[in-house]
Amino acid sequence: MKVLVTGATGFVGQHLIPQLLARGHTVTAVARNPSKARGFDWYEHVHFIACDIYQPRENVFQFFGLPDVVIHLAWEGLPNYKELFHFERNLFADYLFIKSLVEGGARHLLITGTCFEYGMRNGCLSEDMPSLPGNPYALAKDTLRKFVEVLPQKQDITFQWARLFYMYGNGQNQNSLIAQLDRAIDSGDPVFNMSGGEQLRDYLPVEDVATKLVNLMEHPQCTGIVNICSGEPISVRRLVEQHLAQRESHIRLNIGYYPYPDYEPMAFWGDAKKFSSITGER
Amino acid sequence: MKVLVTGATGFVGQHLIPQLLARGHTVTAVARNPSKARGFDWYEHVHFIACDIYQPRENVFQFFGLPDVVIHLAWEGLPNYKELFHFERNLFADYLFIKSLVEGGARHLLITGTCFEYGMRNGCLSEDMPSLPGNPYALAKDTLRKFVEVLPQKQDITFQWARLFYMYGNGQNQNSLIAQLDRAIDSGDPVFNMSGGEQLRDYLPVEDVATKLVNLMEHPQCTGIVNICSGEPISVRRLVEQHLAQRESHIRLNIGYYPYPDYEPMAFWGDAKKFSSITGER
């Protein structure tokens, strides 16, 4: 299939593109920074367009080469979950981009959302729960999905909303937990300061997230909200300890140094049943 | 108290203002059309400002005279619940208006929402239920509330979200049920075409809605979402028959002529407990 990927050089995009290519798809990759894109092995194998997708254009869908599927990952200013620009600026720009794709004839949209759409709720989170976004980022994503859901459709559109949980891997934001840990190990720090570590979360290596997104795209009968998650809660402490073991590091963990963040529930993980029942994948 | 009322000449506003005045409040009334405003008895007793509240201004709160309370009723283009302009245009204009009031120092906001925020849900609807807006109007109002809820507050703000149910009375939109019925009676029509009439709804005379809004404003400890409703379901057929009896009309009801609207649940009414427990009013 002809797949358009926005946010191609972002954390998820850079891992998704090689997997799309490996599955035989033709990829048009979009990002603002061509020099960053040239740094990836996949650069030579995609049609790369350097541009700001939010710039108003005549026929956006045509401009991007009439793709069979749009995988829309781009979102500015992450993480900064509490900043108002997520809904004051990003939400509308993103909505208008998607609307113009739909009006141009797009038939299949796969857009990434966030587990924070579930809000301050503990336990196993499944797609049929009403969303209760608790921060401006989650509110913007949740609202975007609702806007797109009420867009009038001239034709039937496959709309997949991939709700991402926690991820780790190469290219991640430098402020995320595992990236900070790797940096501390690489600098030979004796101690790593962290929170109490008892929070239960749902983590996946970013490569597995990319695999699941390709799988989801290849199952267009699986529509609406779909959790992209492991389905298995793990404490942050155990995640960190597993990573230390893998890296054969003996850095000392200063547990309890940071307070638990106030914008996240103590224990939540995704229900993976919808995804696995349709794709057959666990 | 010094009260600013937006949408002063609208259906609710025109009934609210005399009640505010009767309770001894000072009213600044805002609407776009001064000649419409001059038609009301209350015109001489308020400070009337003819303007478009959505026009960008330097210090909005100061411009409107630093009111103690803002009762914000204005919303363009009603009913037309399914039109996208509700969230594509109104939502952001409205949000920016409220944000500038808050930034200017507003301490008490009473804003009207809609029972449609509950979405396609039957039964008795209470404020603690998550919203599930099912049309663009409800989505815009629901989103507006969420945007305002996450606005940073330099000081504690009293925020009251009055979720209005069905109303009838003078000044109502000409396409609403009771207005159509009155027109048919007044024209001497032999027959009135209506739906099956078995839908259960929650109806209040608009004067009662106005009384409840004043009461709510005078109880600032009652914050968040508050249903403004009767709490008593009534079938549309009985409502119509009661109105005919009151008007001593013998117009024949052609029941079942129109289908039930697809954007409304079959039977829903408001839970009035939150409002009555705090205000002491039933």
Side-chain angles (χ1 to χ4, degrees):
Chain A
M1 286 198 287
K2 255 169 82 177
V3 185
L4 173 71
V5 179
T6 72
T9 61
F11 179 43
V12 174
Q14 62 188 259
H15 295 279
L16 177 65
I17 290 174
Q19 295 202 28
L20 285 168
L21 294 170
R23 297 275 305 171
H25 299 294
T26 308
V27 175
T28 300
V30 188
R32 278 171 306 182
N33 188 341
S35 63
K36 186 174 179 192
R38 276 190 288 269
F40 294 106
D41 291 343
W42 48 255
Y43 181 78
E44 299 296 328
H45 308 284
V46 303
H47 173 52
F48 185 79
I49 301 178
C51 75
D52 175 2
I53 57 171
Y54 301 119
Q55 193 188 302
R57 281 186 183 80
E58 268 304 301
N59 190 332
V60 173
F61 189 57
Q62 205 154 34
F63 178 84
F64 289 116
L66 311 170
D68 300 313
V69 188
V70 178
I71 301 186
H72 178 41
L73 308 171
W75 190 267
E76 283 186 45
L78 284 175
N80 306 312
Y81 302 128
K82 293 177 167 187
E83 300 288 331
L84 302 186
F85 70 80
H86 287 294
F87 64 80
E88 290 189 344
R89 207 176 56 223
N90 289 15
L91 166 61
F92 253 69
D94 218 79
Y95 166 71
L96 293 176
F97 170 68
I98 295 164
K99 185 182 180 185
S100 57
L101 286 172
V102 169
E103 286 178 344
R107 300 290 304 262
H108 184 167
L109 299 171
L110 190 166
I111 304 177
T112 46
T114 166
C115 59
F116 294 141
E117 290 167 49
Y118 288 112
M120 294 297 289
R121 200 146 36 178
N122 289 289
C124 180
L125 306 176
S126 66
E127 294 89 343
D128 53 2
M129 291 177 168
S131 52
L132 286 169
N135 62 50
Y137 168 56
L139 176 55
K141 281 284 190 178
D142 187 53
T143 305
L144 175 67
R145 191 190 74 253
K146 291 172 176 168
F147 283 4
V148 174
E149 281 170 354
V150 298
L151 265 182
Q153 300 187 3
K154 278 176 244 161
Q155 54 195 2
D156 271 351
I157 289 178
T158 299
F159 179 40
Q160 300 175 309
W161 184 266
R163 223 172 235 173
L164 305 183
F165 281 66
Y166 289 75
M167 301 170 273
Y168 56 90
N170 283 336
Q172 185 158 31
N173 185 290
Q174 288 300 301
N175 294 323
S176 66
L177 178 70
I178 299 295
Q180 284 184 7
L181 180 60
D182 278 330
R183 227 163 38 246
I185 297 169
D186 294 340
S187 334
D189 292 356
V191 176
F192 181 69
N193 293 327
M194 61 179 281
S195 70
E198 290 171 289
Q199 317 94 301
L200 296 181
R201 292 286 178 272
D202 188 314
Y203 271 95
L204 280 175
V206 65
E207 296 84 357
D208 292 5
V209 170
T211 307
K212 284 179 191 289
L213 290 176
V214 177
N215 204 338
L216 178 60
M217 180 196 85
E218 292 176 347
H219 288 83
Q221 71 276 29
C222 185
T223 60
I225 301 165
V226 185
N227 286 341
I228 302 296
C229 62
S230 73
E232 304 288 345
I234 181 171
S235 72
V236 166
R237 180 173 177 172
R238 202 171 114 222
L239 180 84
V240 166
E241 287 174 349
Q242 282 181 356
H243 195 72
L244 292 189
Q246 206 177 2
R247 293 216 41 189
E248 300 178 359
S249 161
H250 298 286
I251 196 168
R252 188 170 70 76
L253 297 177
N254 184 13
I255 286 171
Y257 182 84
Y258 295 117
Y260 292 118
D262 63 353
Y263 55 84
E264 292 177 340
M266 190 60 195
F268 71 99
W269 58 96
D271 182 334
K273 280 199 281 295
K274 180 171 176 181
F275 179 82
S276 55
S277 70
I278 297 180
T279 62
E281 193 202 314
R282 263 205 50 89
Chain B
M1 284 198 286
K2 255 169 81 178
V3 185
L4 173 71
V5 179
T6 72
T9 61
F11 178 43
V12 175
Q14 62 187 257
H15 295 279
L16 177 66
I17 289 174
Q19 295 204 28
L20 284 170
L21 294 171
R23 297 276 304 170
H25 299 293
T26 308
V27 175
T28 300
V30 188
R32 277 172 305 183
N33 187 342
S35 62
K36 185 173 180 193
R38 276 191 286 271
F40 294 106
D41 291 341
W42 48 254
Y43 181 78
E44 298 297 328
H45 307 284
V46 303
H47 173 54
F48 185 78
I49 302 177
C51 74
D52 176 0
I53 57 171
Y54 301 119
Q55 192 187 304
R57 280 184 184 81
E58 268 303 299
N59 190 333
V60 173
F61 189 57
Q62 205 155 34
F63 178 84
F64 289 115
L66 309 171
D68 300 313
V69 188
V70 178
I71 302 187
H72 178 42
L73 309 171
W75 190 267
E76 286 186 43
L78 284 174
N80 305 313
Y81 302 128
K82 293 178 167 187
E83 299 290 330
L84 301 186
F85 72 80
H86 288 293
F87 66 81
E88 290 189 345
R89 207 175 55 222
N90 290 16
L91 166 61
F92 253 70
D94 219 79
Y95 166 71
L96 293 177
F97 169 67
I98 295 165
K99 185 182 179 184
S100 57
L101 287 172
V102 170
E103 286 177 344
R107 299 290 304 262
H108 184 166
L109 299 170
L110 191 166
I111 304 176
T112 45
T114 166
C115 59
F116 295 141
E117 291 167 49
Y118 288 112
M120 294 298 287
R121 198 146 38 178
N122 289 290
C124 179
L125 305 176
S126 66
E127 295 89 343
D128 54 0
M129 291 176 167
S131 52
L132 285 170
N135 62 51
Y137 167 57
L139 176 55
K141 281 283 190 179
D142 187 53
T143 305
L144 176 66
R145 192 190 74 253
K146 291 173 178 170
F147 283 3
V148 175
E149 281 170 354
V150 299
L151 265 183
Q153 303 186 1
K154 278 176 245 164
Q155 55 197 2
D156 272 351
I157 290 176
T158 299
F159 179 41
Q160 300 176 310
W161 184 265
R163 225 172 233 172
L164 304 183
F165 281 67
Y166 290 76
M167 300 169 276
Y168 57 90
N170 282 336
Q172 184 159 32
N173 185 292
Q174 289 301 300
N175 294 323
S176 66
L177 179 70
I178 300 295
Q180 285 185 6
L181 180 59
D182 277 329
R183 225 162 40 247
I185 297 170
D186 294 339
S187 332
D189 291 357
V191 176
F192 181 68
N193 293 327
M194 59 178 283
S195 69
E198 291 171 290
Q199 315 95 301
L200 296 180
R201 291 286 178 271
D202 188 314
Y203 271 95
L204 280 175
V206 66
E207 296 84 357
D208 292 3
V209 170
T211 307
K212 284 179 191 288
L213 290 177
V214 176
N215 204 338
L216 179 60
M217 181 196 84
E218 292 176 348
H219 289 82
Q221 71 275 30
C222 187
T223 60
I225 300 165
V226 185
N227 286 341
I228 303 295
C229 62
S230 73
E232 305 288 343
I234 182 171
S235 72
V236 167
R237 180 171 178 173
R238 203 171 112 223
L239 180 84
V240 165
E241 287 174 349
Q242 282 180 355
H243 195 73
L244 292 190
Q246 205 178 3
R247 292 215 45 188
E248 299 178 0
S249 161
H250 297 285
I251 196 169
R252 190 171 67 77
L253 297 177
N254 186 12
I255 286 171
Y257 181 84
Y258 294 116
Y260 292 119
D262 63 354
Y263 55 84
E264 292 177 342
M266 191 60 194
F268 72 99
W269 58 95
D271 183 334
K273 280 198 282 295
K274 181 172 177 181
F275 179 81
S276 54
S277 70
I278 296 180
T279 63
E281 192 202 316
R282 260 204 55 86

